[in-house]
Amino acid sequence: MAATVVQGEYDGKTGPVPINGIKVENGAPIPARKELRDMKRNSPDQWNLYLLGLERFKQVEENEPLSFFQIAGIHGLPHKRWPDAGWSPLNEDGNAGFCTHSSILFLPWHRPYLALFEAELYKHVNRLAKDLEKEYGDRYVKAAKDFRIPYWDWALPASGGLGLFPEEALRSTKPNLIRPKETMGKSAAVKEDNPLAYYTFGKVAKSVGDPKDYLSTVTREKPTTVRYQLYDNPTLEPKMKPDPIKTFETSDRDFSNWTPETKAYQKGWNLTERTVYVLKAYKAFAPMSHNLFYEKQKDFLNFGSLEDSHNSIHGYVGKGSGHMGDPSVAAFDPIFWCHHTNIDRLFAIWQALNDKPEDPSTYVTPGHPRGDPTFLEPDTEGPETPLAPFTKNEKAEEYLQNFWRSKEVRYTKTFGYVYPETVEEDPAAVWAALDKLYPTGSAIALLNKPKPALKASTAELAPLAKSHRMVAEKTIDTKIIVAAVKEGDSKALQTIASASEATKVQLPKDRSLEDIVKDRKYLEWLVNVKAVKHSLGGDYFVHVFIGDPDDNIAESYLTNPTHVATFSTFGQDPSTGCGKCQKAQVNRAEVTGQIPLTIALLERYLAGHVHGLGPEDVVPFLQTHLHWRVTNHEGTILNRRDVEGLLVGVVSNEVTLPTGPNELPRYSPSVVAWESITMNQSDGPRGDGTGYTGGPVAAAT
């Protein structure tokens, strides 16, 4: 049976749904959103209520404005106004959706969006807590009072030894939930094995789009949302079918000590480095927040962003035909909400480190996006731009005048929540919290230590350094590594373990991270990428390697130990119904991304492959060993020159470590571009003409 809307003051049918967050009693501490694995471990009653509430939320009839389906649909398909009711003055197509990707509004817009979802989920959680009261007293009522939506910290693997994707969200994980025997006098709603694993499409969802036009449908011809469908092939063995994302979740770079039971964290490592670099090095809001290329980036500065990291997660989880890989249907996957809550958390952490109300550059600034403004204002986007369709009050006649605006959603407390790292508002305390949470997730955290502690950092990277020696010395074939990761092949795992034992891989004894820092300074090395966002229908990924990509197993690039990271645009096909995306396609909007190489270089330094982080060592090493490839969502290799505007370059940034306990490290406000790395011996561009060859970085012509 379907669940009903939790009756509140507003339902969206006769007027707007005001979004004001969850009210906190006067004087009471503002509750913090929790990491989902922390919630499960330390607040099991809230975790139980979260899964039950999510299950109930998803079962609200899809024609209800406050259903999971319709709230998820705000993000993309069916590209209509919300609420889709006669009282709304918006066009019925909602101006072809509410897309804020590649926009300075990307982070502010998602804040009230999450607040809407959280408030509705909160209602279901509290109703279920009341249903449990008869059997368990006020135990669950107390837990529900401070409930907030959990976030998925996909940067944790670098320091926590966790898989990138949380086991708690896998289809094969079946939580043992405490359920109420009755719900408001009726039997409990339909039970799901794991409410966080998927969304089951109903009649309304199945009616969206033309079955002959695959990309216009919400379901994508699946009964439920799916993830990581690259290997969803009828010719594969049955063992590959369940939870294919688990293949990725267990990827492991450190195979020098593998056993059949080993589980680790390949992709999470670089995601941590990528994200922490943006949080610490970027001081202006605009480049930190979104990935749209603009003229100020002509000197190769600030090519990274939180949106860039965000895109990679969507690309990894939705690989192949998974829903998370397509912005028009991503929000129907329940993990979307945990992912975006984490993006909001990273936004809040950056604010705690850098926000200065007296400095306009530390928040949304007015600008003229390159031909693709977001919905309601044709020429500019800025702090006054309405964040439609999210409104502050219930009056239909004032709906268009009462949308939230960026200047009003600047701080999370407006909506009744904080994050563990932002309870303290002191920048030094927040920086320390990042270092504690991700102690090995960034080069600066590894190197900004007294000499005795640097020995621990050296030991932390040693197993990975041994792995690189095994690959370079061809002690083990990368095809065996890929088979071990992709298929969980026990023979391949044992072969790797045996090879490691037989060769007794040794590292040079004269290598230590103590020697990397000179006069309290070192260089960060980064790959910058730029391309037309919707080129090839948005269906392309740029993979960066240090070492042989092995193009014979391109469909498994992600599991190759030489693979560093992937640049993903989260683009759209020309048939998209997204109005903003259509304009961006016409105007060939370009986006940027940034992939740090520093930790990968430190690993290879310890392996003896490169002799330091100075340009005299790194430049010749990368000239030989840096590679990039382009694939589509199916893993097919594409010609790099077919990606319009694709440009790949390498820059360095000088970091000065503090000399005293009250100082913070300083990143140089400029970068140095090293065009010789991406040029061939004839002084032309490497990579089928996509390598950077010097001069200002210009827009595609």
Side-chain angles (χ1 to χ4, degrees):
M1 64 180 271
T4 56
V5 175
V6 176
Q7 291 303 312
E9 200 171 343
Y10 314 101
D11 62 10
K13 294 179 180 179
T14 57
V17 177
I19 300 164
N20 294 301
I22 300 170
K23 291 184 179 179
V24 180
E25 293 178 3
N26 289 336
I30 298 175
R33 290 175 174 173
K34 300 173 183 176
E35 208 282 330
L36 65 88
R37 287 159 288 201
D38 287 341
M39 179 182 281
K40 178 186 176 185
R41 180 173 57 251
N42 300 321
S43 304
D45 290 348
Q46 283 190 344
W47 178 252
N48 188 80
L49 287 170
Y50 166 57
L51 294 179
L52 290 179
L54 185 60
E55 176 185 72
R56 191 64 54 83
F57 191 5
K58 292 191 295 176
Q59 291 169 3
V60 173
E61 292 284 359
E62 290 180 338
N63 58 2
E64 294 282 349
L66 293 179
S67 65
F68 179 97
F69 174 78
Q70 290 212 18
I71 291 176
I74 294 170
H75 194 264
L77 282 170
H79 296 306
K80 299 177 71 173
R81 64 186 176 185
W82 182 89
D84 187 19
W87 62 263
S88 176
L90 288 178
N91 295 334
E92 287 194 29
D93 65 356
N95 286 340
F98 304 100
C99 175
T100 57
H101 297 103
S102 302
S103 159
I104 201 166
L105 304 180
F106 170 68
L107 294 175
W109 183 87
H110 281 84
R111 185 160 278 175
Y113 188 28
L114 288 166
L116 165 63
F117 184 90
E118 181 174 60
E120 289 309 304
L121 178 60
Y122 183 82
K123 293 176 186 176
H124 290 285
V125 162
N126 276 267
R127 180 177 176 180
L128 282 156
K130 293 294 291 182
D131 292 339
L132 287 162
E133 192 172 23
K134 183 177 180 180
E135 299 166 73
Y136 297 95
D138 64 356
R139 169 181 162 184
Y140 286 98
V141 173
K142 288 181 177 179
K145 184 178 180 180
D146 289 338
F147 172 83
R148 297 295 186 270
I149 185 173
Y151 59 90
W152 161 35
D153 184 1
W154 30 257
L156 275 178
S159 56
L162 300 169
L164 171 63
F165 196 82
E167 291 190 6
E168 290 78 3
L170 294 170
R171 284 178 182 254
S172 56
T173 299
K174 296 177 172 56
N176 184 22
L177 299 177
I178 297 174
R179 298 174 176 274
K181 292 181 180 178
E182 290 189 340
T183 303
M184 301 296 287
K186 300 178 182 179
S187 60
V190 176
K191 298 177 182 179
E192 297 179 343
D193 287 339
N194 185 355
L196 192 52
Y198 56 88
Y199 175 74
T200 300
F201 295 114
K203 291 181 179 179
V204 175
K206 293 174 182 177
S207 70
V208 174
D210 180 354
K212 295 179 181 179
D213 179 8
Y214 173 84
L215 292 177
S216 72
T217 66
V218 168
T219 65
R220 297 297 195 259
E221 300 177 353
K222 300 286 195 303
T224 69
T225 53
V226 294
R227 300 166 181 155
Y228 202 78
Q229 291 293 291
L230 186 58
Y231 308 120
D232 187 15
N233 186 312
T235 64
L236 292 177
E237 298 177 30
K239 68 177 182 178
M240 287 296 297
K241 296 289 180 68
D243 278 336
I245 195 170
K246 196 169 178 63
T247 297
F248 182 71
E249 182 261 333
T250 57
S251 293
D252 185 358
R253 293 191 306 164
D254 174 17
F255 49 86
S256 62
N257 294 309
W258 265 8
T259 66
E261 293 76 34
T262 300
K263 289 176 62 179
Y265 43 81
Q266 180 176 359
K267 295 303 124 188
W269 189 282
N270 189 266
L271 275 166
T272 311
E273 186 180 12
R274 196 169 179 172
T275 303
V276 173
Y277 183 81
V278 169
L279 292 177
K280 291 184 174 181
Y282 286 37
K283 302 304 177 184
F285 175 85
M288 175 281 299
S289 65
H290 70 289
N291 66 354
L292 186 68
F293 174 72
Y294 56 102
E295 291 305 312
K296 289 184 180 179
Q297 293 169 299
K298 62 185 179 182
D299 57 1
F300 252 161
L301 187 65
N302 296 337
F303 264 46
S305 63
L306 289 185
E307 185 173 12
D308 178 39
S309 296
H310 151 275
N311 289 352
S312 290
I313 288 294
H314 276 284
Y316 288 150
V317 177
K319 187 101 178 137
S321 58
H323 285 77
M324 273 284 282
D326 183 339
S328 62
V329 293
F332 296 107
D333 188 329
I335 201 64
F336 168 95
W337 300 96
C338 300
H339 168 42
H340 264 278
T341 303
N342 191 49
I343 293 295
D344 183 73
R345 163 182 165 264
L346 296 172
F347 171 23
I349 289 173
W350 184 89
Q351 290 181 294
L353 287 170
N354 300 288
D355 184 72
K356 297 179 177 67
E358 70 278 8
D359 182 354
S361 73
T362 64
Y363 197 52
V364 177
T365 48
H368 298 268
R370 194 171 172 228
D372 59 335
T374 301
F375 36 84
L376 292 180
E377 293 190 359
D379 298 318
T380 63
E381 292 176 344
E384 296 285 351
T385 304
L387 302 178
F390 311 121
T391 186
K392 291 171 285 185
N393 76 24
E394 73 284 1
K395 296 179 180 179
E397 65 274 15
E398 299 177 5
Y399 182 56
L400 296 179
Q401 290 75 46
N402 280 286
F403 289 127
W404 283 100
R405 297 168 191 266
S406 294
K407 67 178 185 179
E408 299 166 325
V409 303
R410 188 165 186 159
Y411 303 113
T412 66
K413 291 179 181 179
T414 300
F415 295 108
Y417 68 91
V418 294
Y419 291 101
E421 299 84 4
T422 64
V423 173
E424 296 286 340
E425 297 181 350
D426 173 45
V430 176
W431 189 294
L434 281 177
D435 285 348
K436 183 177 180 180
L437 191 59
Y438 311 120
T440 60
S442 66
I444 203 165
L446 287 165
L447 297 174
N448 186 28
K449 295 178 179 179
K451 283 192 174 183
L454 282 172
K455 292 182 179 179
S457 293
T458 301
E460 184 75 30
L461 296 184
L464 299 167
K466 289 183 179 181
S467 301
H468 297 310
R469 285 191 72 90
M470 289 178 66
V471 171
E473 296 168 8
K474 301 190 183 302
T475 302
I476 193 69
D477 193 323
T478 54
K479 293 181 178 63
I480 295 177
I481 299 166
V482 169
V485 176
K486 190 174 91 171
E487 301 179 30
D489 188 318
S490 59
K491 288 185 178 180
L493 285 162
Q494 191 58 51
T495 298
I496 294 167
S498 299
S500 177
E501 179 65 25
T503 57
K504 300 289 184 183
V505 176
Q506 297 294 320
L507 298 178
K509 294 183 179 179
D510 62 341
R511 298 296 172 100
S512 169
L513 296 186
E514 295 179 44
D515 302 322
I516 290 295
V517 178
K518 309 291 185 183
D519 299 323
R520 303 301 296 164
K521 295 180 180 180
Y522 77 95
L523 291 181
E524 290 273 359
W525 290 88
L526 312 129
V527 171
N528 281 350
V529 184
K530 177 182 73 73
V532 172
K533 177 172 182 174
H534 302 287
S535 180
L536 304 179
D539 182 15
Y540 69 92
F541 301 86
V542 181
H543 303 271
V544 173
F545 303 83
I546 296 181
D548 180 14
D550 197 345
D551 295 332
N552 293 318
I553 49 174
E555 77 281 359
S556 301
Y557 274 159
L558 294 183
T559 58
N560 190 323
T562 65
H563 187 270
V564 179
T566 301
F567 166 72
S568 174
T569 70
F570 213 31
Q572 293 274 267
D573 183 88
S575 65
T576 180
C578 168
K580 179 175 181 290
C581 303
Q582 292 168 0
K583 294 175 184 176
Q585 289 168 352
V586 170
N587 291 284
R588 299 156 68 222
E590 294 180 274
V591 293
T592 64
Q594 190 171 73
I595 295 171
L597 299 178
T598 315
I599 290 180
L601 289 169
L602 289 175
E603 294 165 6
R604 287 158 176 84
Y605 163 75
L606 295 176
H609 297 161
V610 65
H611 301 300
L613 287 187
E616 67 279 5
D617 297 312
V618 173
V619 170
F621 177 76
L622 292 181
Q623 284 174 329
T624 301
H625 297 287
L626 178 71
H627 301 281
W628 59 96
R629 297 288 188 271
V630 175
T631 65
N632 63 11
H633 75 280
E634 294 177 339
T636 302
I637 297 178
L638 306 176
N639 192 311
R640 289 167 286 196
R641 65 167 54 92
D642 289 342
V643 179
E644 187 179 5
L646 178 60
L647 183 70
V648 177
V650 178
V651 300
S652 64
N653 179 254
E654 185 178 74
V655 182
T656 303
L657 299 179
T659 57
N662 297 321
E663 296 180 26
L664 293 177
R666 299 190 310 275
Y667 291 84
S668 172
S670 61
V671 297
V672 176
W674 300 93
E675 60 267 26
S676 60
I677 294 175
T678 47
M679 293 169 62
N680 57 34
Q681 293 180 350
S682 302
D683 292 334
R686 291 175 56 197
D688 294 327
T690 62
Y692 173 66
T693 58
V697 181
T701 57

